[in-house]
Amino acid sequence: MSEHHQSLPLKALSYFAVVAQVGSFKRAADKLCVTPQAISIQMKALEQQLGVALFSRHASGVVLTPAGELLAEYVDRGLALLDQGVTLAKCTQKTHFRINISPWFAVHRVLPLLETFESTLSDVELFIGTQVAMSDSDWRSIDLAIQWGFGEWPAEHKRLLQRDDKYLVCAPALKARSVLSKPEDLQHQRIICTPLSIELWQRYARTLGIDLLRERQFLIVDSIASQVEATKQGLGVALVSDNVAQQGVAAGEMVMPLGDRALSEINPSLVPGYWLVIPTHCRQFEIAAMFESWLTETLAIPS
């Protein structure tokens, strides 16, 4: 460390930052819980050490000189960096636990109750992402995930938390203007889906014995909310969650053109769900097991 850094007057500089902010030795003293004389002594010593005048002194207070303004800018930056460094240093003492949760499940099931889990982990820094689809590198960076799908992830441990049964729906106006009464008619309709639900449609089509391979047949939207809204607007047909479909039908915003049969009635293997997945590389398996136990108890999930 250089001689200059060893003699850096950190106390005086911290006092200087407050004086520069409030423009008065007295107000700075009140804010720092010291006497105005202590502030004055520190500022005089700082000016003598630097060899420049930092303030123009007036009866109503002090005004920064050009040198004082320049120093204040750099002192503010330096103190902010020090605060950041202290925070980061504290974080290194904690264990990091990283989770990715499918957006719907995060918003409606986990986040409203998460505080009760965090309160049991005083030495754990919890990081939560809500990516819909994850790459291989994303999977390698997490300790646990709750993802929507069919459970086809290579993992040390995975468990179905909640089934997501679906109904085929469309807008009443689309039903009125289209021939849409049997499975084959779906081949002539626009399919509204999210990127993840393309596989669901492929499985559904195979079960019905129909071909949905037309290049422009799929309208792929980025979220479930967008899918529901596009369906209500009559832009195509969709497979939506059972409670959303039933509410939409009750409100007159949706109809079930092929009848009120859920996917579970057509073929139970078609039904996706929300799965808890602990990757093989999980670095914090004990915490992951604690999270699973907490989630099971809190959401009353059958064992």
Side-chain angles (χ1 to χ4, degrees):
M1 184 179 290
S2 70
E3 182 180 344
H4 173 73
H5 285 166
Q6 289 175 334
S7 62
L8 201 61
L10 293 178
K11 182 177 181 180
L13 288 172
S14 65
Y15 281 15
F16 169 75
V18 178
V19 175
Q21 181 184 35
V22 300
S24 163
F25 286 0
K26 183 179 185 308
R27 287 195 293 272
D30 291 341
K31 192 168 184 177
L32 292 167
C33 298
V34 298
T35 65
Q37 184 181 12
I39 297 288
S40 179
I41 291 172
Q42 290 287 341
M43 295 304 95
K44 187 175 295 185
L46 181 62
E47 288 179 313
Q48 289 175 349
Q49 182 171 351
L50 298 180
V52 294
L54 300 175
F55 303 101
S56 297
R57 292 160 173 79
H58 304 279
S60 59
V62 294
V63 177
L64 291 173
T65 64
E69 290 179 353
L70 182 63
L71 180 62
E73 180 182 346
Y74 279 89
V75 168
D76 284 344
R77 292 185 201 173
L79 292 175
L81 283 173
L82 284 172
D83 285 341
Q84 183 180 0
V86 169
T87 300
L88 292 175
K90 289 179 178 178
C91 286
T92 62
Q93 302 303 310
K94 293 188 175 183
T95 299
H96 292 177
F97 185 63
R98 293 176 169 83
I99 306 175
N100 191 78
I101 307 177
S102 188
W104 182 91
F105 203 90
V107 171
H108 295 282
R109 303 289 275 163
V110 176
L111 294 182
L113 306 169
L114 188 64
E115 186 177 355
T116 61
F117 178 70
E118 288 184 299
S119 65
T120 67
L121 301 173
S122 58
D123 295 327
V124 175
E125 192 79 15
L126 189 61
F127 296 89
I128 296 180
T130 55
Q131 287 180 252
V132 174
M134 294 198 297
S135 66
D136 289 343
S137 62
D138 293 328
W139 276 101
R140 288 193 293 271
S141 68
I142 64 167
D143 299 297
L144 182 146
I146 298 176
Q147 295 298 105
W148 183 94
F150 297 92
E152 298 174 346
W153 298 281
E156 184 75 19
H157 174 77
K158 53 190 173 183
R159 175 182 177 189
L160 179 62
L161 300 176
Q162 178 178 319
R163 288 161 62 85
D164 184 20
D165 209 355
K166 304 282 188 180
Y167 283 93
L168 179 76
V169 296
C170 69
L174 177 63
K175 169 68 173 172
R177 68 174 184 262
S178 305
V179 177
L180 186 50
S181 59
K182 57 185 183 298
E184 292 79 6
D185 296 333
L186 291 174
Q187 296 175 116
H188 309 291
Q189 296 296 328
R190 177 65 61 86
I191 306 299
I192 305 172
C193 64
T194 64
L196 287 185
S197 61
I198 292 176
E199 181 184 352
L200 171 60
W201 268 98
Q202 292 170 339
R203 294 181 180 217
Y204 181 55
R206 285 196 297 269
T207 299
L208 297 179
I210 60 176
D211 183 9
L212 298 178
L213 297 180
R214 288 196 301 118
E215 183 179 348
R216 297 180 58 192
Q217 186 161 9
F218 287 94
L219 174 59
I220 302 173
V221 295
D222 63 351
S223 67
I224 293 173
S226 299
Q227 178 192 38
V228 171
E229 185 59 32
T231 304
K232 290 179 180 179
Q233 295 297 322
L235 300 182
V237 298
L239 289 167
V240 302
S241 299
D242 51 5
N243 60 329
V244 175
Q246 291 164 3
Q247 291 170 7
V249 170
E253 298 174 317
M254 297 179 180
V255 294
M256 299 177 183
L258 302 185
D260 58 349
R261 293 181 69 203
L263 288 183
S264 57
E265 298 176 69
I266 298 171
N267 183 347
S269 69
L270 290 175
V271 181
Y274 293 94
W275 292 73
L276 182 143
V277 183
I278 301 177
T280 304
H281 63 260
C282 175
R283 296 169 291 274
Q284 308 296 342
F285 192 84
E286 184 177 344
I287 300 173
M290 289 173 58
F291 183 86
E292 180 177 3
S293 297
W294 167 79
L295 197 65
T296 298
E297 181 179 347
T298 304
L299 301 183
I301 297 170
S303 300

